[in-house]
Coordinates of all heavy atoms in Angstrom, one line a residue:
M1 N 10.9 50.0 105.9 CA 10.7 51.2 104.9 C 10.9 52.5 105.7 O 10.2 52.7 106.7 CB 9.4 51.2 104.3 CG 9.3 52.1 103.1 SD 7.6 52.3 102.5 CE 6.9 53.4 103.7
K2 N 11.9 53.3 105.3 CA 12.2 54.5 106.0 C 11.7 55.7 105.1 O 11.8 55.7 103.9 CB 13.7 54.7 106.3 CG 14.1 53.8 107.4 CD 15.3 54.4 108.1 CE 15.6 53.6 109.3 NZ 16.5 54.2 110.3
V3 N 11.1 56.7 105.8 CA 10.6 57.8 105.0 C 11.3 59.1 105.7 O 11.7 59.1 106.8 CB 9.1 58.0 105.1 CG1 8.4 56.9 104.3 CG2 8.6 58.0 106.5
T4 N 11.4 60.1 104.8 CA 12.0 61.3 105.3 C 10.9 62.4 105.5 O 10.1 62.6 104.6 CB 13.0 61.9 104.3 OG1 13.9 60.8 104.0 CG2 13.8 63.1 104.9
C5 N 10.8 62.9 106.7 CA 9.8 64.0 106.9 C 10.1 65.2 106.1 O 11.2 65.7 106.2 CB 9.8 64.3 108.4 SG 8.7 65.7 108.8
P6 N 9.1 65.7 105.4 CA 9.4 66.9 104.5 C 9.6 68.2 105.4 O 10.0 69.2 104.8 CB 8.1 67.0 103.6 CG 7.1 66.2 104.3 CD 7.8 65.2 105.2
H7 N 9.2 68.1 106.6 CA 9.3 69.3 107.5 C 10.6 69.4 108.2 O 11.3 70.4 108.1 CB 8.1 69.4 108.5 CG 6.8 69.4 107.8 ND1 6.3 70.5 107.2 CD2 5.9 68.4 107.6 CE1 5.1 70.2 106.6 NE2 4.8 68.9 106.9
C8 N 10.9 68.4 109.0 CA 12.2 68.4 109.8 C 13.3 67.6 109.2 O 14.4 67.5 109.8 CB 11.8 68.0 111.2 SG 11.3 66.3 111.4
K9 N 13.0 66.9 108.1 CA 14.0 66.1 107.4 C 14.6 64.9 108.2 O 15.6 64.4 107.9 CB 15.2 67.0 106.9 CG 14.8 68.2 106.1 CD 14.4 67.9 104.7 CE 13.9 69.1 104.0 NZ 12.9 68.9 103.0
S10 N 13.9 64.5 109.2 CA 14.4 63.4 110.0 C 13.9 62.1 109.4 O 12.8 62.0 108.8 CB 13.9 63.5 111.5 OG 12.5 63.5 111.6
K11 N 14.7 61.0 109.5 CA 14.3 59.7 109.0 C 13.3 59.0 110.0 O 13.6 58.9 111.2 CB 15.5 58.9 108.8 CG 16.5 59.4 107.7 CD 16.4 58.6 106.4 CE 17.4 59.0 105.4 NZ 17.1 60.3 104.8
I12 N 12.2 58.6 109.4 CA 11.2 57.9 110.3 C 11.0 56.5 109.8 O 10.8 56.3 108.5 CB 9.9 58.7 110.2 CG1 10.1 60.2 110.3 CG2 9.0 58.2 111.4 CD1 9.0 61.0 109.6
T13 N 11.0 55.6 110.6 CA 10.6 54.2 110.2 C 9.0 54.2 110.2 O 8.4 54.8 111.0 CB 11.1 53.1 111.1 OG1 11.0 53.6 112.4 CG2 12.5 52.8 110.8
A14 N 8.5 53.5 109.2 CA 7.0 53.5 109.0 C 6.3 53.1 110.3 O 5.2 53.6 110.5 CB 6.7 52.5 107.9
K15 N 6.8 52.2 111.1 CA 6.1 51.8 112.3 C 6.1 52.8 113.4 O 5.3 52.7 114.3 CB 6.6 50.4 112.8 CG 8.0 50.4 113.3 CD 8.3 49.0 113.9 CE 9.5 48.9 114.7 NZ 10.7 48.7 114.3
D16 N 7.0 53.8 113.3 CA 7.0 54.9 114.3 C 5.8 55.9 114.1 O 5.5 56.7 115.0 CB 8.3 55.7 114.2 CG 9.4 54.8 114.9 OD1 9.1 54.0 115.7 OD2 10.6 55.1 114.5
I17 N 5.2 55.8 112.9 CA 4.1 56.7 112.6 C 2.9 56.2 113.3 O 2.3 55.2 112.9 CB 3.9 56.9 111.1 CG1 5.2 57.5 110.5 CG2 2.7 57.8 110.8 CD1 5.2 57.3 108.9
K18 N 2.4 56.9 114.3 CA 1.3 56.4 115.1 C 0.0 57.0 114.6 O -1.1 56.3 114.6 CB 1.5 56.8 116.6 CG 2.7 56.3 117.2 CD 2.4 54.8 117.8 CE 3.6 54.3 118.6 NZ 4.8 54.0 117.8
N19 N 0.0 58.2 114.1 CA -1.2 58.9 113.7 C -1.4 59.0 112.2 O -0.5 59.5 111.5 CB -1.3 60.3 114.3 CG -1.4 60.2 115.8 OD1 -2.0 59.4 116.4 ND2 -0.7 61.1 116.5
I20 N -2.4 58.4 111.7 CA -2.7 58.5 110.3 C -4.1 59.0 110.1 O -5.1 58.6 110.7 CB -2.6 57.1 109.6 CG1 -1.2 56.6 109.8 CG2 -3.0 57.1 108.1 CD1 -1.0 55.1 109.5
N21 N -4.2 60.1 109.2 CA -5.5 60.7 109.0 C -6.0 60.2 107.6 O -5.4 60.6 106.6 CB -5.3 62.2 109.0 CG -6.6 63.0 108.8 OD1 -7.7 62.4 108.7 ND2 -6.5 64.3 108.7
K22 N -7.0 59.5 107.6 CA -7.6 58.9 106.4 C -8.9 59.6 105.9 O -9.6 59.2 105.0 CB -7.9 57.4 106.5 CG -6.6 56.6 106.6 CD -6.9 55.1 106.7 CE -5.6 54.4 106.8 NZ -5.8 52.9 107.0
N23 N -9.2 60.7 106.6 CA -10.4 61.4 106.3 C -10.4 62.4 105.2 O -11.4 62.9 104.8 CB -10.9 62.2 107.6 CG -11.2 61.2 108.7 OD1 -11.7 60.1 108.5 ND2 -10.9 61.6 109.9
R24 N -9.2 62.6 104.6 CA -9.0 63.5 103.5 C -8.8 62.7 102.2 O -8.7 61.5 102.3 CB -7.9 64.4 103.7 CG -8.0 65.2 105.0 CD -7.2 66.4 105.0 NE -7.2 67.0 106.4 CZ -6.4 68.0 106.8 NH1 -5.5 68.4 105.9 NH2 -6.4 68.5 108.0
I25 N -8.7 63.4 101.1 CA -8.5 62.7 99.8 C -7.2 62.0 99.8 O -7.0 60.9 99.4 CB -8.6 63.7 98.6 CG1 -9.8 64.6 98.7 CG2 -8.5 63.0 97.3 CD1 -9.8 65.8 97.9
F26 N -6.2 62.7 100.4 CA -4.8 62.1 100.5 C -4.6 61.6 101.9 O -5.0 62.3 102.9 CB -3.8 63.2 100.1 CG -4.0 63.8 98.8 CD1 -4.3 65.1 98.7 CD2 -3.8 63.0 97.6 CE1 -4.5 65.7 97.4 CE2 -4.0 63.6 96.4 CZ -4.3 64.9 96.3
I27 N -4.1 60.4 102.1 CA -3.8 59.9 103.4 C -2.6 60.7 104.0 O -1.6 60.7 103.4 CB -3.6 58.4 103.4 CG1 -4.8 57.7 102.8 CG2 -3.2 57.9 104.7 CD1 -4.6 56.2 102.5
E28 N -2.9 61.3 105.2 CA -1.8 62.0 105.8 C -1.2 61.3 107.0 O -2.0 60.6 107.7 CB -2.4 63.4 106.3 CG -2.6 64.4 105.2 CD -3.0 65.7 105.7 OE1 -3.8 65.8 106.7 OE2 -2.5 66.7 105.2
K29 N 0.1 61.5 107.3 CA 0.7 60.8 108.4 C 1.4 61.9 109.2 O 1.9 62.9 108.7 CB 1.7 59.8 107.9 CG 1.1 58.6 107.2 CD 2.0 57.7 106.5 CE 1.3 56.5 105.9 NZ 2.1 55.6 105.2
Q30 N 1.4 61.6 110.6 CA 2.0 62.6 111.4 C 3.4 62.2 111.8 O 3.7 61.1 112.2 CB 1.2 62.8 112.7 CG 1.6 64.0 113.5 CD 0.8 64.1 114.8 OE1 0.4 63.1 115.4 NE2 0.5 65.3 115.2
C31 N 4.4 63.2 111.6 CA 5.8 62.9 111.9 C 5.9 62.8 113.5 O 5.5 63.7 114.2 CB 6.6 64.1 111.4 SG 8.3 64.1 112.0
P32 N 6.6 61.7 114.0 CA 6.7 61.6 115.4 C 7.6 62.6 116.1 O 7.5 62.9 117.3 CB 7.2 60.2 115.6 CG 7.7 59.7 114.3 CD 7.1 60.6 113.3
S33 N 8.5 63.2 115.3 CA 9.5 64.1 115.9 C 9.0 65.6 115.9 O 9.2 66.3 116.9 CB 10.9 64.0 115.3 OG 10.8 64.0 114.0
C34 N 8.4 66.0 114.8 CA 8.0 67.5 114.8 C 6.5 67.6 114.8 O 6.0 68.7 114.8 CB 8.6 68.2 113.5 SG 7.9 67.6 112.0
K35 N 5.7 66.5 114.8 CA 4.2 66.5 114.9 C 3.5 67.2 113.7 O 2.4 67.5 113.7 CB 3.8 67.2 116.2 CG 4.4 66.7 117.5 CD 3.9 65.3 117.8 CE 4.7 64.7 119.0 NZ 4.7 63.3 119.1
E36 N 4.3 67.4 112.6 CA 3.7 67.9 111.4 C 3.0 66.8 110.6 O 3.5 65.7 110.6 CB 4.7 68.7 110.5 CG 5.2 70.0 111.1 CD 4.1 71.1 110.9 OE1 3.2 70.9 110.1 OE2 4.2 72.1 111.6
W37 N 1.9 67.2 109.9 CA 1.3 66.2 109.0 C 1.9 66.3 107.7 O 2.2 67.3 107.1 CB -0.2 66.5 109.0 CG -0.9 66.2 110.3 CD1 -1.1 67.1 111.3 CD2 -1.5 64.9 110.7 NE1 -1.8 66.5 112.3 CE2 -2.0 65.2 112.0 CE3 -1.6 63.7 110.1 CZ2 -2.6 64.1 112.7 CZ3 -2.2 62.7 110.8 CH2 -2.7 62.9 112.1
F38 N 2.1 65.1 107.1 CA 2.6 65.1 105.7 C 2.0 64.0 104.9 O 1.4 63.1 105.5 CB 4.2 65.0 105.7 CG 4.7 63.7 106.3 CD1 5.0 62.6 105.5 CD2 4.9 63.6 107.6 CE1 5.4 61.4 106.0 CE2 5.4 62.4 108.2 CZ 5.7 61.4 107.4
C39 N 2.1 64.0 103.6 CA 1.5 63.0 102.8 C 2.5 62.4 101.9 O 3.2 63.1 101.1 CB 0.4 63.7 102.0 SG -0.5 62.6 100.9
L40 N 2.6 61.1 101.9 CA 3.6 60.4 101.1 C 3.0 60.0 99.7 O 3.7 59.9 98.7 CB 4.0 59.1 101.8 CG 4.9 59.3 103.0 CD1 5.1 58.0 103.7 CD2 6.2 60.0 102.7
N41 N 1.7 59.8 99.6 CA 1.1 59.2 98.4 C 0.5 60.3 97.5 O -0.3 59.9 96.6 CB 0.1 58.2 98.8 CG 0.8 56.9 99.3 OD1 1.9 56.6 98.9 ND2 0.1 56.2 100.2
K42 N 0.8 61.6 97.8 CA 0.1 62.6 97.0 C 0.4 62.5 95.5 O -0.5 62.4 94.7 CB 0.6 64.0 97.5 CG -0.4 65.1 97.2 CD 0.1 66.4 97.8 CE -0.7 66.7 99.1 NZ -0.3 67.9 99.7
T43 N 1.7 62.3 95.2 CA 2.1 62.1 93.8 C 1.4 60.9 93.2 O 0.8 61.0 92.1 CB 3.6 62.0 93.7 OG1 4.2 62.8 94.6 CG2 4.0 62.4 92.3
L44 N 1.4 59.8 93.9 CA 0.8 58.6 93.4 C -0.7 58.8 93.1 O -1.2 58.3 92.1 CB 1.0 57.4 94.4 CG 2.4 56.8 94.4 CD1 2.4 55.6 95.4 CD2 2.9 56.4 93.0
T45 N -1.4 59.4 94.1 CA -2.8 59.6 94.0 C -3.1 60.5 92.8 O -4.0 60.2 92.0 CB -3.4 60.3 95.3 OG1 -2.9 59.6 96.4 CG2 -4.9 60.3 95.3
I46 N -2.3 61.6 92.6 CA -2.5 62.4 91.4 C -2.3 61.7 90.1 O -3.1 61.8 89.2 CB -1.5 63.7 91.5 CG1 -2.0 64.6 92.7 CG2 -1.6 64.5 90.2 CD1 -1.0 65.6 93.1
I47 N -1.2 60.9 90.1 CA -1.0 60.1 88.8 C -2.1 59.1 88.6 O -2.6 58.9 87.4 CB 0.4 59.3 89.0 CG1 1.5 60.2 89.0 CG2 0.5 58.3 87.8 CD1 2.9 59.6 89.4
K48 N -2.7 58.5 89.7 CA -3.8 57.6 89.5 C -5.0 58.3 88.9 O -5.7 57.8 88.0 CB -4.1 57.0 90.9 CG -4.9 55.8 90.9 CD -4.9 55.1 92.3 CE -6.0 55.5 93.1 NZ -6.0 54.8 94.5
I49 N -5.3 59.5 89.5 CA -6.5 60.3 89.0 C -6.2 60.6 87.5 O -7.1 60.5 86.7 CB -6.7 61.5 89.8 CG1 -7.1 61.1 91.3 CG2 -7.7 62.4 89.2 CD1 -7.0 62.2 92.3
I50 N -5.0 61.0 87.2 CA -4.7 61.4 85.8 C -4.9 60.2 84.9 O -5.5 60.3 83.8 CB -3.2 61.9 85.6 CG1 -3.2 63.3 86.3 CG2 -2.8 62.0 84.2 CD1 -1.7 63.8 86.4
G51 N -4.5 59.0 85.4 CA -4.6 57.8 84.6 C -6.1 57.5 84.3 O -6.4 57.1 83.1
V52 N -6.9 57.6 85.3 CA -8.4 57.3 85.1 C -9.0 58.4 84.1 O -9.7 58.0 83.2 CB -9.1 57.4 86.5 CG1 -10.6 57.3 86.3 CG2 -8.6 56.2 87.4
F53 N -8.6 59.6 84.3 CA -9.1 60.7 83.4 C -8.6 60.4 82.0 O -9.4 60.7 81.0 CB -8.6 62.0 83.9 CG -9.6 62.7 84.8 CD1 -9.5 62.7 86.1 CD2 -10.7 63.3 84.2 CE1 -10.4 63.3 87.0 CE2 -11.7 63.9 85.0 CZ -11.6 63.9 86.4
L54 N -7.4 60.0 81.8 CA -6.9 59.7 80.4 C -7.8 58.7 79.8 O -8.2 58.8 78.6 CB -5.5 59.1 80.5 CG -4.3 60.1 80.4 CD1 -3.0 59.3 80.5 CD2 -4.4 60.9 79.1
L55 N -8.1 57.6 80.5 CA -9.0 56.6 80.0 C -10.4 57.1 79.6 O -10.9 56.8 78.6 CB -9.1 55.4 81.0 CG -10.0 54.2 80.5 CD1 -9.2 53.4 79.5 CD2 -10.5 53.4 81.6
L56 N -10.9 57.9 80.6 CA -12.2 58.5 80.4 C -12.2 59.4 79.1 O -13.1 59.2 78.3 CB -12.5 59.3 81.6 CG -14.0 59.7 81.8 CD1 -14.7 58.5 82.3 CD2 -14.1 60.8 82.9
I57 N -11.3 60.3 79.0 CA -11.3 61.2 77.9 C -11.1 60.5 76.6 O -11.8 60.7 75.6 CB -10.2 62.3 78.1 CG1 -10.5 63.2 79.3 CG2 -10.0 63.2 76.9 CD1 -9.4 64.0 79.9
T58 N -10.1 59.6 76.6 CA -9.8 58.9 75.3 C -11.0 58.0 74.9 O -11.3 57.9 73.7 CB -8.5 58.1 75.4 OG1 -8.6 57.2 76.6 CG2 -7.3 58.9 75.5
S59 N -11.7 57.4 75.9 CA -12.8 56.6 75.6 C -13.9 57.5 75.0 O -14.6 57.1 74.0 CB -13.4 55.9 76.8 OG -12.4 55.1 77.4
L60 N -14.2 58.6 75.6 CA -15.2 59.5 75.1 C -14.9 60.0 73.7 O -15.8 60.0 72.8 CB -15.3 60.8 76.0 CG -16.1 60.6 77.3 CD1 -16.0 61.8 78.2 CD2 -17.5 60.2 77.0
L61 N -13.6 60.3 73.4 CA -13.2 60.7 72.0 C -13.5 59.6 71.0 O -14.0 59.8 69.9 CB -11.7 61.0 72.0 CG -11.3 62.3 72.7 CD1 -9.8 62.4 72.8 CD2 -11.9 63.6 72.0
N62 N -13.2 58.3 71.5 CA -13.5 57.2 70.6 C -15.0 57.0 70.4 O -15.5 56.7 69.3 CB -12.9 55.9 71.2 CG -11.4 55.9 70.9 OD1 -10.9 56.6 70.0 ND2 -10.7 55.0 71.5
I63 N -15.8 57.1 71.5 CA -17.2 56.8 71.4 C -17.9 57.8 70.4 O -18.7 57.5 69.6 CB -17.9 56.9 72.8 CG1 -17.5 55.7 73.6 CG2 -19.4 57.0 72.7 CD1 -17.7 55.8 75.1
F64 N -17.5 59.1 70.6 CA -18.1 60.1 69.7 C -17.4 60.3 68.4 O -17.6 61.2 67.6 CB -18.2 61.4 70.5 CG -19.1 61.4 71.6 CD1 -18.7 61.4 72.9 CD2 -20.5 61.3 71.4 CE1 -19.5 61.3 74.0 CE2 -21.4 61.2 72.5 CZ -20.9 61.2 73.8
N65 N -16.4 59.4 68.1 CA -15.7 59.4 66.9 C -15.0 60.7 66.5 O -14.9 61.1 65.4 CB -16.6 59.0 65.7 CG -16.3 57.6 65.3 OD1 -15.2 57.1 65.4 ND2 -17.3 56.9 64.7
I66 N -14.5 61.4 67.6 CA -13.8 62.6 67.4 C -12.4 62.3 67.0 O -11.7 61.4 67.6 CB -13.8 63.5 68.7 CG1 -15.3 63.8 69.0 CG2 -13.0 64.8 68.5 CD1 -15.4 64.3 70.5
K67 N -11.9 62.9 65.9 CA -10.5 62.6 65.4 C -10.4 61.1 65.2 O -9.4 60.5 65.8 CB -9.5 63.2 66.3 CG -9.6 64.6 66.6 CD -8.7 65.5 65.7 CE -8.8 66.9 66.1 NZ -8.3 67.8 65.0
S68 N -11.3 60.4 64.6 CA -11.3 59.0 64.5 C -10.0 58.4 63.9 O -9.7 57.2 64.1 CB -12.5 58.5 63.7 OG -12.5 59.0 62.4
Q69 N -9.3 59.2 63.1 CA -8.1 58.7 62.6 C -7.0 58.4 63.6 O -6.1 57.7 63.4 CB -7.5 59.6 61.5 CG -7.0 61.0 61.9 CD -8.1 62.1 61.9 OE1 -9.3 61.8 62.2 NE2 -7.7 63.3 61.5
Y70 N -7.2 59.0 64.8 CA -6.3 58.8 65.9 C -6.9 57.8 67.0 O -6.3 57.6 68.0 CB -6.0 60.1 66.7 CG -5.3 61.1 65.8 CD1 -5.9 62.3 65.6 CD2 -4.1 60.9 65.2 CE1 -5.3 63.3 64.8 CE2 -3.5 61.8 64.4 CZ -4.1 63.0 64.2 OH -3.5 64.0 63.4
S71 N -8.0 57.1 66.6 CA -8.6 56.2 67.6 C -7.7 55.2 68.2 O -7.8 54.9 69.4 CB -9.9 55.6 67.0 OG -9.5 54.6 66.1
L72 N -6.8 54.6 67.4 CA -5.9 53.6 68.0 C -4.9 54.3 69.0 O -4.6 53.7 70.0 CB -5.1 53.0 66.8 CG -4.2 51.8 67.2 CD1 -5.1 50.6 67.5 CD2 -3.3 51.4 66.0
V73 N -4.5 55.5 68.7 CA -3.6 56.2 69.6 C -4.3 56.5 70.9 O -3.8 56.3 72.0 CB -3.2 57.6 68.9 CG1 -2.3 58.4 69.9 CG2 -2.4 57.3 67.6
F74 N -5.6 56.9 70.8 CA -6.4 57.2 72.0 C -6.5 56.0 72.8 O -6.4 56.0 74.1 CB -7.8 57.8 71.6 CG -7.7 59.2 71.0 CD1 -8.7 59.6 70.1 CD2 -6.7 60.1 71.4 CE1 -8.7 60.8 69.6 CE2 -6.7 61.3 70.9 CZ -7.7 61.7 69.9
S75 N -6.9 54.8 72.2 CA -7.0 53.6 72.9 C -5.7 53.2 73.7 O -5.8 52.8 74.8 CB -7.4 52.5 71.9 OG -8.6 52.8 71.3
S76 N -4.6 53.4 73.0 CA -3.3 53.1 73.6 C -3.1 53.9 74.8 O -2.7 53.5 75.9 CB -2.2 53.3 72.6 OG -2.5 52.6 71.4
I77 N -3.3 55.3 74.7 CA -3.1 56.2 75.8 C -4.0 55.8 77.0 O -3.6 55.7 78.1 CB -3.4 57.7 75.4 CG1 -2.3 58.1 74.3 CG2 -3.3 58.6 76.6 CD1 -2.6 59.4 73.6
G78 N -5.3 55.5 76.7 CA -6.3 55.1 77.7 C -5.8 53.9 78.4 O -5.9 53.7 79.6
F79 N -5.3 52.9 77.6 CA -4.9 51.6 78.2 C -3.7 51.9 79.1 O -3.7 51.3 80.3 CB -4.4 50.7 77.1 CG -4.0 49.3 77.6 CD1 -4.9 48.4 78.1 CD2 -2.6 49.0 77.5 CE1 -4.4 47.2 78.6 CE2 -2.2 47.8 78.0 CZ -3.1 46.9 78.5
V80 N -2.7 52.7 78.7 CA -1.6 53.0 79.6 C -2.1 53.7 80.8 O -1.6 53.3 81.9 CB -0.6 53.9 78.8 CG1 0.5 54.4 79.8 CG2 0.1 53.1 77.7
G81 N -3.0 54.6 80.7 CA -3.6 55.3 81.8 C -4.2 54.4 82.9 O -3.8 54.5 84.0
I82 N -5.0 53.5 82.4 CA -5.7 52.6 83.4 C -4.7 51.6 83.9 O -4.8 51.2 85.1 CB -6.9 51.9 82.7 CG1 -7.9 51.4 83.8 CG2 -6.6 50.8 81.8 CD1 -8.6 52.5 84.6
L83 N -3.7 51.2 83.1 CA -2.7 50.3 83.6 C -1.9 50.9 84.8 O -1.7 50.3 85.8 CB -1.7 49.9 82.5 CG -0.8 48.7 82.6 CD1 -1.6 47.5 82.6 CD2 0.3 48.7 81.5
V84 N -1.5 52.2 84.6 CA -0.8 52.9 85.6 C -1.6 53.0 86.9 O -1.2 52.7 88.0 CB -0.4 54.3 85.1 CG1 0.1 55.2 86.3 CG2 0.7 54.2 84.1
S85 N -2.9 53.3 86.7 CA -3.8 53.4 87.9 C -3.9 52.1 88.6 O -3.9 52.1 89.9 CB -5.2 53.8 87.4 OG -5.2 55.0 86.7
V86 N -4.1 51.0 87.9 CA -4.2 49.7 88.6 C -2.9 49.4 89.3 O -3.0 49.0 90.5 CB -4.5 48.6 87.5 CG1 -4.4 47.2 88.1 CG2 -5.9 48.8 87.0
I87 N -1.8 49.6 88.7 CA -0.5 49.3 89.4 C -0.4 50.1 90.7 O -0.1 49.6 91.7 CB 0.7 49.6 88.4 CG1 0.7 48.6 87.3 CG2 2.0 49.6 89.2 CD1 1.6 48.9 86.2
I88 N -0.7 51.4 90.6 CA -0.6 52.3 91.8 C -1.6 51.9 92.8 O -1.3 51.9 94.0 CB -0.8 53.8 91.3 CG1 0.4 54.2 90.6 CG2 -1.0 54.7 92.6 CD1 0.3 55.5 89.9
T89 N -2.8 51.5 92.4 CA -3.8 51.0 93.4 C -3.3 49.8 94.2 O -3.4 49.7 95.4 CB -5.1 50.6 92.7 OG1 -5.5 51.8 91.9 CG2 -6.2 50.3 93.7
F90 N -2.6 48.9 93.5 CA -2.0 47.7 94.2 C -0.9 48.1 95.1 O -0.8 47.6 96.2 CB -1.5 46.7 93.1 CG -2.6 45.8 92.7 CD1 -3.1 45.9 91.4 CD2 -3.1 44.8 93.5 CE1 -4.1 45.0 91.0 CE2 -4.2 44.0 93.1 CZ -4.7 44.1 91.8
F91 N -0.1 49.1 94.7 CA 1.0 49.6 95.6 C 0.4 50.2 96.8 O 0.9 49.9 97.9 CB 1.9 50.6 94.8 CG 3.0 50.0 94.1 CD1 3.1 50.0 92.7 CD2 4.1 49.4 94.8 CE1 4.2 49.4 92.0 CE2 5.1 48.8 94.1 CZ 5.2 48.8 92.8
G92 N -0.6 51.0 96.6 CA -1.3 51.6 97.8 C -1.8 50.6 98.7 O -1.7 50.8 99.9
K93 N -2.4 49.6 98.2 CA -3.0 48.5 99.1 C -1.9 47.8 99.9 O -2.0 47.6 101.1 CB -3.7 47.5 98.3 CG -5.2 47.8 98.1 CD -5.9 46.7 97.3 CE -7.3 47.2 96.9 NZ -7.8 46.4 95.7
N94 N -0.8 47.5 99.2 CA 0.4 46.9 99.9 C 0.8 47.8 101.1 O 1.1 47.3 102.2 CB 1.5 46.7 99.0 CG 1.2 45.5 98.0 OD1 0.3 44.8 98.2 ND2 1.9 45.5 96.9
E95 N 0.9 49.1 100.8 CA 1.4 50.0 101.9 C 0.4 50.0 103.0 O 0.8 50.1 104.2 CB 1.6 51.4 101.3 CG 2.6 52.1 102.1 CD 2.5 53.6 102.0 OE1 1.4 54.1 101.9 OE2 3.6 54.3 101.8
A96 N -0.9 50.0 102.7 CA -1.9 50.0 103.8 C -1.8 48.8 104.7 O -2.0 48.9 105.9 CB -3.3 50.1 103.2
I97 N -1.5 47.6 104.1 CA -1.4 46.4 104.9 C -0.2 46.5 105.9 O -0.2 46.2 107.1 CB -1.3 45.2 104.0 CG1 -2.6 45.0 103.3 CG2 -1.0 43.9 104.9 CD1 -2.5 44.1 102.1
K98 N 1.0 47.0 105.3 CA 2.2 47.1 106.1 C 2.1 48.1 107.3 O 2.6 47.9 108.3 CB 3.4 47.5 105.2 CG 4.1 46.3 104.6 CD 5.4 46.7 103.9 CE 5.2 46.7 102.4 NZ 6.2 47.4 101.7
K99 N 1.4 49.2 107.0 CA 1.3 50.4 107.9 C 2.6 51.0 108.2 O 3.3 50.7 109.2 CB 0.5 50.0 109.2 CG -1.0 50.0 108.8 CD -1.9 50.2 110.0 CE -3.3 50.3 109.5 NZ -4.3 50.1 110.5
Ligands
LIG101 ZN1 9.1 66.0 111.0

């Protein structure tokens, strides 16, 4: 798997990345050529959080019977949200194993 550094635009193979910072919300990787830190999974992480929030909000709307005529729509949106989150979580795990 090759990635492009957002700073110097050089192509990096995943195994060339030696330094990984997991102490932040987003996992950061250091580019071996320009030493800049960048994040590959930022978009995925954001989508994952949105997915969880979608489920949370739509569930709350259903529980409190707000706009109950749309409850089926809310359930569907919530389901799609959690489905996306689960898929992304699995992708994230796969990437972590490969390094
Ligand atoms: Zn770079």
Side-chain angles (χ1 to χ4, degrees):
M1 190 189 80
K2 287 207 174 197
V3 293
T4 309
C5 172
H7 300 285
C8 63
K9 310 285 176 210
S10 64
K11 294 255 186 287
I12 318 153
T13 40
K15 65 173 197 271
D16 285 336
I17 300 165
K18 298 275 188 290
N19 296 321
I20 297 166
N21 185 3
K22 288 181 180 174
N23 296 326
R24 304 199 189 170
I25 308 163
F26 304 113
I27 297 169
E28 285 186 320
K29 291 171 179 178
Q30 194 181 32
C31 169
S33 50
C34 70
K35 309 289 177 206
E36 284 287 340
W37 291 91
F38 63 94
C39 179
L40 291 174
N41 288 330
K42 201 174 261 176
T43 322
L44 286 184
T45 311
I46 291 167
I47 295 168
K48 198 163 93 179
I49 294 167
I50 291 170
V52 173
F53 266 99
L54 267 180
L55 181 77
L56 197 74
I57 292 163
T58 51
S59 303
L60 281 175
L61 288 171
N62 281 344
I63 289 164
F64 293 108
N65 254 332
I66 301 161
K67 305 263 185 200
S68 58
Q69 67 268 36
Y70 298 119
S71 68
L72 191 68
V73 179
F74 291 150
S75 301
S76 310
I77 294 169
F79 180 74
V80 170
I82 201 68
L83 197 70
V84 168
S85 301
V86 168
I87 291 167
I88 288 169
T89 306
F90 274 108
F91 270 114
K93 270 182 190 160
N94 288 342
E95 204 201 42
I97 294 163
K98 269 189 256 163
K99 281 204 174 162

